[in-house]
Amino acid sequence: MKEYTLIIKGEMDFIIISPQVLSSLIAQIHNSPERKVVVSIESIMPPKFTDYLLRVINSNRFTNERFRYHYILENPVTKKGLYEILRQQLSSTNTERFPCFQTIRLTDTFRGNVELDMECNALFFWPAKILPRSLSIRSRMADRKHW
């Protein structure tokens, strides 16, 4: 069985994409008939996990540089900011050498929910579509000396 590696490229930011969030996203992509996928954020990131992340980020925002997220100006970080962090990190996710997504946007629904409107690259979509069990989700901290 072929193993696929997903890499979240970025600076030194704290990664909020847990293996469970990524697994839920891949499951929804697997069930999609096409590469354009719309996913409710709450369906991949449960509200209790969102609340937990907000507490962790806001508690550490000014004491640890990994929680600063230079593209989020609001203080304290709200759900809207957290969803932007998620979007940025998913945008920086690669399958070995290629980006997982061609486009990824946050959209608000009429019911007040937030969705990820994305188009997967073929090199990510087809393994998720055809071989979902081959996408093993593990996290690895690479050379993190200041944590």
Side-chain angles (χ1 to χ4, degrees):
M1 172 169 53
K2 179 160 173 61
E3 181 175 289
Y4 294 89
T5 302
L6 299 179
I7 301 165
I8 302 171
K9 291 191 169 203
E11 302 189 15
M12 298 299 281
D13 291 344
F14 175 74
I15 302 297
I16 67 166
I17 303 171
S18 70
Q20 293 81 8
V21 168
L22 199 52
S23 292
S24 295
L25 178 62
I26 289 169
Q28 292 203 25
I29 291 168
H30 173 74
N31 293 327
S32 174
E34 56 186 50
R35 291 181 9 200
K36 289 186 179 184
V37 183
V38 177
V39 174
S40 166
I41 290 182
E42 285 191 359
S43 71
I44 62 169
M45 186 182 285
K48 286 184 180 183
F49 184 58
T50 298
D51 293 342
Y52 167 77
L53 286 173
L54 286 170
R55 285 193 308 276
V56 168
I57 291 168
N58 286 319
S59 297
N60 293 290
R61 188 100 192 262
F62 297 106
T63 59
N64 188 320
E65 66 185 82
R66 295 178 194 268
F67 295 90
R68 293 212 179 108
Y69 305 101
H70 69 279
Y71 47 89
I72 303 296
L73 301 177
E74 63 186 4
N75 184 41
V77 175
T78 63
K79 279 186 182 181
K80 180 181 177 183
L82 185 69
Y83 294 162
E84 177 57 24
I85 294 168
L86 176 65
R87 188 197 71 74
Q88 289 272 348
Q89 290 182 357
L90 286 173
S91 294
S92 299
T93 303
N94 294 337
T95 56
E96 295 159 9
R97 296 181 312 241
F98 304 99
C100 292
F101 304 98
Q102 287 182 330
T103 60
I104 186 164
R105 290 184 302 264
L106 292 172
T107 56
D108 295 318
T109 67
F110 290 115
R111 294 187 175 161
N113 296 323
V114 180
E115 295 177 332
L116 291 167
D117 184 359
M118 61 189 92
E119 183 172 353
C120 302
N121 277 324
L123 292 172
F124 176 65
F125 179 75
W126 288 114
K129 186 75 180 154
I130 297 169
L131 305 168
R133 302 287 183 251
S134 70
L135 291 167
S136 173
I137 309 296
R138 290 177 292 172
S139 61
R140 179 178 69 193
M141 296 293 287
D143 195 26
R144 302 291 183 171
K145 296 178 183 173
H146 302 290
W147 185 245

